[in-house]
Each structure stands twice: as C-alpha cells, then as structure tokens.
Amino acid sequence: MLYVHTSILTDSPCVVLRGMPSEASGQALSGRVILRLCRSLKVTQVIVAFQSTCMHRGSLWSSQGALYDNTKLEQVLFNATSTPLGYAVWGGSAETSLREMPFSFAIPGNLHESVCTAFGNIGYEIKVTIRSCGFGINTWVQSLRMPVIRVPEENTLTALALSEALRAQADWLGAVELQMLGDSAAVPDEHRLCVRSIIRPLQKGQTLVDVGLRLIENTRFKSAMDRFGDSPKSSNVLCQTQIKPRDESWHALFLQHEHSFDLELDIPAAFRGTQYDMDTARIHISHELVLTVTVVD
C-alpha cells in the first residue's frame, strides 16, 4: 500500500450463526481498523464494509436461483467531505501517523453460510476503503476474509445427536461383521479423526487383505437442473487411509477371531479443503465416513 498500511483486527476469526436461517438471531461482529501513515495524507473518507464475494462456475451464472449472495453492510468511520476544506491532514507527526477506529456490524441470522464448491463460491470479507485528495493514488483498499458458519442451536435434537458417540455396524453376506467406533459424530475441520474398526468373522476360512477408511463429501446443487432434469451433484474423497494387516508368515491376516484396528484421518481446513454440512434452498452438502475391507475366502 505504499505509504498507507492498514490492519484489520476482529474480535473473532469467523461469524457463527446458531439455528436455521428462519429462526437464527443476528450476531455482532466488531473489531478495529488500524492505519499507519508513512507521510502526510489529505484524507476525505474511511469506510469499512462487510460484504459478500461470490463466484459462479459454468452455466450456473445465468441459472435461476444460482448460488449467489449480495450482502453489503457499510459503516463510515471518518468523513471530512462536509468540512470547509473537504479533507483532514493525517500523518506527518507521531500523533497523527497512527489511527485506530473501532467498527461493529449486526450480521443478520438468515445470511447464507460461506461455501466453496464446484458449482460456485459464496464468501465474505471485511473491506476497508481509504479515500484522499491530491496528486497520485487517492484510494487505498484492504480486505480480510471472514467466514460465516452455521451450527445447530444448543440443546436441540440435532445438536444432541451430533454430541453422541460414533457407532455404525453392518455385516457382509453373513460372513464378516464390521463395526466403527468413534468419540463423536461431529468433527471440526483441521482435526484428526480417530476411528476404531472392529472386524468379526461370522464364518470360518476368511482372510483379511486390507482395511481402509475414507471421508467423502457429497454436494448437490438444488436450484439448477442438468440436461436430464436432475440436480447437479458431485462427490469428492477428502481424505483416506489404508492398512494391510499381516500374519508373521503370510501376506494377509487369517480371521480366526475378532480383530480391531485404529485408523486416523486428517480433516482438511474448511472452505479450502472441505465444507461444513449445510442444507439450504439452493445447496445440500453432507459427509459420509466409509469403512472398507478386502476379504477373500
């Protein structure tokens, strides 16, 4: 920014909305804008805005109900346009070279969550615009990415269900029983997911070759149709791991009794490697944890 340095400091790293859009209350987002001037500047206005940043992909740009949000909240931090000079001189001395201005926004509860998919992106940022008069550059802009996430309201059935332990069980053709155990059914991003897999033979003569675990993200864009009349959708394997159990003298493991294996997955960062679960009028995102085993008889 040449001789204007701008810092945006917020009280929280993201905006958290609780409950469905129709019932969620608004949240306050506050922070400070710090300006450091390396030389004197005739400042006319300083404006801070909370606004959406959307990007569409493919034919969805013109689709009805496309993934889009046009939220923009503005707050004027300084305005000298109505003064006789029309500006104020900042900088040139220790007292005026550093400026700190607080801001606060009331974020509506029905705001769409941040999302980054193959069908388009909805993001949010805090944008500071500094306007001055005189020769040279007269506008300086600095932005800070501000994700918006939505979580279930506390003490609701959804929130209580997510706090329960992970437990899933199935059997394959009556020959092998599979079971997954974990601490919680809800996992935050940038977190290590630990799952214990239990493999129990129901018939004799089974040999275990490998055990795998994968996390799949499913996305369905409900506001558009493809040429076959279906909603566009995609599936993506976010992370996976696999182990190959061995007997001491063989390349596989004979299933003579119950065996357990501890598997781990590193969940990627939200909005860059994965998305939060959501179900809106336009898009549905869900995740499934898949345990795979290879068994031969």
Side-chain angles (χ1 to χ4, degrees), residues 42 107-108 218 232-233 276:
K42 297 178 179 179
I107 307 300
N218 299 309
K233 54 187 177 182
Y276 282 88

Side-chain angles (χ1 to χ4, degrees), residues 242-255:
Q242 187 183 66
I243 60 175
K244 296 181 179 294
R246 295 286 188 269
D247 273 338
E248 294 181 358
S249 58
W250 190 242
H251 64 279
L253 180 66
F254 292 105
L255 291 176

Side-chain angles (χ1 to χ4, degrees), residues 268-279:
F271 314 117
R272 296 190 294 273
T274 184
Q275 312 300 311
Y276 282 88
D277 281 16
M278 67 176 62
D279 189 8

